[in-house]
Amino acid sequence: MDFQLFSKVDRELTELFRLQDPLLKEVLQSIREASLPEHSVSAIQGQFLMQLVRMSKARRIIEIGTLGAYSTIWLARGLDRDGKIISIEVDPRAASLARTNISKAGLQAQVEIIEGDARQKLTSLNDWAVDFVFMDADKASYCDFYNWAVPRMSSGGLIVADNVIREGKILRPDDGDEKVVGVRRYLELLAKEESTVSSVHQQVGEKGYDGFSISLVL
Ligand code: DHB
Ligand code: MG
């Protein structure tokens, strides 16, 4: 497989559609400078998240795993003015950078960054009705995040999870990589769930070979 070609096409499309504006470039640069993992979604994936938010008319979003708020900004671009995002980040340095980036983006009124472990922080959000969830944090906890979210969502809500393909390693969950085990368990949960209908999308590009799952609440 020609991963260089996939990256080149990704970059070409990002240029052609002018997806990476100066603010988003600055956010990516800030993540690099802070030596945080370069695990933000790609611009094309960001645009896709924005479309999903808009198509589903989501008003209240939970993001689990903020990193430097790159995906958060894309999600916010899909929201109407009265929409809100709560984004949870476990790494204090990332959470602080994310707050700075959200201020730079002028999104303080719409985005709240909560610092801490998502499994604990979510319990303090039990009263929140949610209509869109983007999971991009601890892969071993995806099932827990999903099980928290579904009872708080109504028909038409979406749960999107990043990194559910992991270079195809989900074919061999017994190799002991806990992230692979986590997403494999998550896919198995989605496959048997009756309250949602899910599709899983393999993706290639500058982020390598991975994918999103998209679950629609019935
Ligand atoms: C990893 C996490 C991510 O969210 C991502 O997009 C890529 C890799 C990781 O922890 O390996
Ligand atoms: Mg990810």
Side-chain angles (χ1 to χ4, degrees):
M1 270 180 290
D2 191 345
F3 283 98
Q4 276 186 338
L5 177 62
F6 299 148
S7 281
K8 243 172 133 171
V9 172
D10 216 352
R11 284 197 292 271
E12 176 71 16
L13 293 172
T14 302
E15 283 288 307
L16 182 64
F17 287 85
R18 299 173 206 272
L19 298 181
Q20 207 83 278
D21 55 48
L23 171 75
L24 291 170
K25 281 189 183 149
E26 202 182 315
V27 169
L28 292 181
Q29 180 65 18
S30 74
I31 293 168
R32 272 193 298 273
E33 281 170 4
S35 303
L36 289 165
E38 292 186 37
H39 288 164
S40 307
V41 296
S42 69
I44 290 172
Q45 289 173 318
Q47 175 93 328
F48 183 45
L49 290 173
M50 184 272 276
Q51 288 180 313
L52 289 174
V53 169
R54 206 165 281 185
M55 286 190 289
S56 64
K57 300 188 168 63
R59 297 159 67 91
R60 282 156 150 318
I61 300 178
I62 298 271
E63 180 181 49
I64 306 170
T66 320
L67 190 55
Y70 181 84
S71 49
T72 323
I73 292 170
W74 277 112
L75 292 166
R77 289 179 178 179
L79 278 177
D80 283 339
R81 214 179 268 277
D82 62 347
K84 284 249 177 317
I85 304 181
I86 291 179
S87 187
I88 306 173
E89 172 56 51
V90 70
D91 177 345
R93 284 180 56 240
S96 163
L97 179 64
R99 287 196 184 104
T100 304
N101 287 335
I102 288 300
S103 297
K104 279 187 188 156
L107 291 169
Q108 307 93 306
Q110 284 186 287
V111 178
E112 182 185 350
I113 310 283
I114 296 183
E115 182 189 315
D117 184 308
R119 282 163 308 176
Q120 286 161 16
K121 295 295 170 185
L122 287 172
T123 60
S124 66
L125 297 175
N126 275 344
D127 296 337
W128 237 60
V130 183
D131 31 42
F132 193 106
V133 175
F134 180 52
M135 308 181 192
D136 197 10
D138 176 27
K139 313 308 171 204
S141 303
Y142 274 15
C143 292
D144 295 338
F145 300 151
Y146 174 95
N147 285 326
W148 176 86
V150 170
R152 288 168 183 81
M153 300 181 75
S154 44
S155 179
L158 289 179
I159 302 169
V160 180
D162 191 24
N163 311 113
V164 298
I165 301 294
R166 305 207 68 89
E167 301 171 310
K169 290 182 187 143
I170 53 152
L171 295 178
R172 301 184 313 275
D174 296 337
D175 285 359
D177 177 337
E178 65 172 26
K179 293 175 188 172
V180 175
V181 173
V183 299
R184 172 81 205 194
R185 270 182 48 230
Y186 182 59
L187 294 174
E188 286 169 11
L189 171 70
L190 295 185
K192 60 177 200 288
E193 270 287 299
E194 289 181 354
S195 47
T196 56
V197 61
S198 299
S199 56
V200 183
H201 303 266
Q202 302 186 71
Q203 299 166 334
V204 290
E206 55 176 345
K207 296 291 164 178
Y209 169 35
D210 215 322
F212 279 178
S213 63
I214 301 174
S215 305
L216 174 68
V217 178
L218 294 173

